[in-house]
């Protein structure tokens, strides 16, 4: 397991739709291990493969690692697809490891049905509610090249403009290594306690 750099939201890899995973090989298993390690170290609860520069349709989620109230296991989803969304919408604050130090309120459907493949190439179908549903939707958005600030109301988007401009230039502090939009590596300027 290794911590690998997270890509800044303005890097082109995060604006492209990812390709479906066709082979589950040792390289993919290692990538999944590294993604879990990277997400845990950066204190995230979800991470999509293109956030570590790999344009493939897979994501990892581990809400319980930092949230004692949540009892669910870590989840890996390969080629996930949302099959249905509930009409009920709710608001909740989101953050993103590719958009350091930005949190904002996003409206999303409350319940979703998702299908995906696991590491044994078995198809799985689940219903997800509340936070799990939200994290899955946020990560599947990444796989489709969509960032959470694109889903904000026009007013909230305007209020974030200056902060996002700084992120684009790499003018922020993060506790984990990041790849800037021009491909340069930015190492942490602040140590985690
Ligand atoms: Zn994100």
């Amino acid at each position: 397991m290794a911590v690998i750099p997270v890509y800044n939201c303005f890097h082109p890899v995060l604006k492209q739709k990812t390709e479906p995973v066709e082979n589950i090989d040792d390289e993919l298993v290692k990538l999944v291990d590294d993604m879990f390690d990277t997400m845990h170290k950066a204190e995230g609860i979800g991470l999509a493969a293109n956030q570590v520069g790999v344009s493939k349709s897979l994501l990892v989620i581990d809400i319980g690692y930092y949230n004692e109230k949540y009892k669910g296991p870590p989840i890996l989803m390969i080629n996930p697809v949302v099959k249905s969304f509930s009409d009920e919408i709710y608001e909740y604050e989101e953050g993103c490891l590719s958009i350091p130090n930005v949190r904002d309120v996003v409206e999303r459907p409350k319940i979703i049905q998702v299908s995906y493949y696991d590491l044994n190439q078995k198809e799985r179908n689940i219903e997800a509610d509340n936070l799990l549903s939200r994290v899955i939707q946020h990560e599947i958005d990444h796989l489709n090249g969509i960032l959470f600030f694109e889903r904000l109301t026009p007013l909230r988007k305007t209020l974030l403009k200056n902060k996002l401009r700084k992120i684009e230039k790499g003018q922020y502090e993060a506790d984990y290594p990041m790849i800037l939009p021009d491909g340069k590596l930015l190492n942490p300027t602040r140590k985690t306690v």
Side-chain angles (χ1 to χ4, degrees):
M1 304 253 278
V3 172
I4 46 182
V6 173
Y7 281 60
N8 182 295
C9 60
F10 292 101
H11 191 285
V13 75
L14 280 159
K15 289 306 300 165
Q16 288 159 15
K17 188 173 160 54
T18 54
E19 296 292 324
V21 172
E22 278 165 10
N23 277 316
I24 296 174
D25 52 16
D26 290 351
E27 200 182 327
L28 191 96
V29 172
K30 185 180 181 310
L31 171 67
V32 169
D33 276 353
D34 290 347
M35 283 173 65
F36 271 111
D37 210 17
T38 301
M39 175 177 69
H40 289 151
K41 288 275 163 54
E43 299 185 20
I45 56 175
L47 188 68
N50 48 345
Q51 287 186 276
V52 292
V54 179
S55 195
K56 291 238 164 99
S57 179
L58 70 114
L59 60 89
V60 296
I61 290 173
D62 194 358
I63 298 173
Y65 197 83
Y66 286 107
N67 189 336
E68 280 175 16
K69 278 186 235 156
Y70 183 84
K71 301 283 180 239
I75 302 171
L76 160 69
M77 292 186 170
I78 296 170
N79 300 339
V81 179
V82 179
K83 296 288 186 187
S84 68
F85 297 93
S86 67
D87 292 335
E88 191 183 346
I89 304 284
Y90 84 115
E91 287 187 337
Y92 198 78
E93 201 179 64
E94 296 187 19
C96 180
L97 295 181
S98 294
I99 315 172
N101 310 321
V102 171
R103 301 193 66 81
D104 217 325
V105 174
V106 186
E107 284 188 357
R108 293 193 190 267
K110 189 165 182 287
I111 303 169
I112 53 168
Q113 312 274 346
V114 196
S115 81
Y116 63 96
Y117 289 85
D118 66 16
L119 267 188
N120 299 314
Q121 303 189 37
K122 187 171 178 275
E123 190 179 3
R124 291 174 176 269
N125 289 280
I126 61 162
E127 181 175 283
D129 196 351
N130 291 314
L131 186 57
L132 178 60
S133 163
R134 179 167 293 274
V135 180
I136 293 170
Q137 291 179 64
H138 177 118
E139 301 311 329
I140 290 180
D141 268 357
H142 274 304
L143 300 178
N144 290 319
I146 299 165
L147 296 155
F148 87 81
F149 59 72
E150 295 173 67
R151 294 202 179 275
L152 298 175
T153 59
L155 175 64
R156 287 185 186 281
K157 244 187 253 179
T158 307
L159 292 173
L160 270 187
K161 246 185 192 152
N162 286 341
K163 226 170 175 181
L164 291 176
R165 207 168 287 141
K166 284 188 173 170
I167 289 175
E168 191 168 11
K169 292 181 191 155
Q171 294 167 350
Y172 55 81
E173 294 188 333
D175 298 330
Y176 43 94
M178 283 196 85
I179 302 288
L180 296 178
D182 62 2
K184 282 198 190 108
L185 174 67
L186 182 69
N187 272 310
T189 50
R190 189 172 66 190
K191 294 272 171 276
T192 29
V193 182

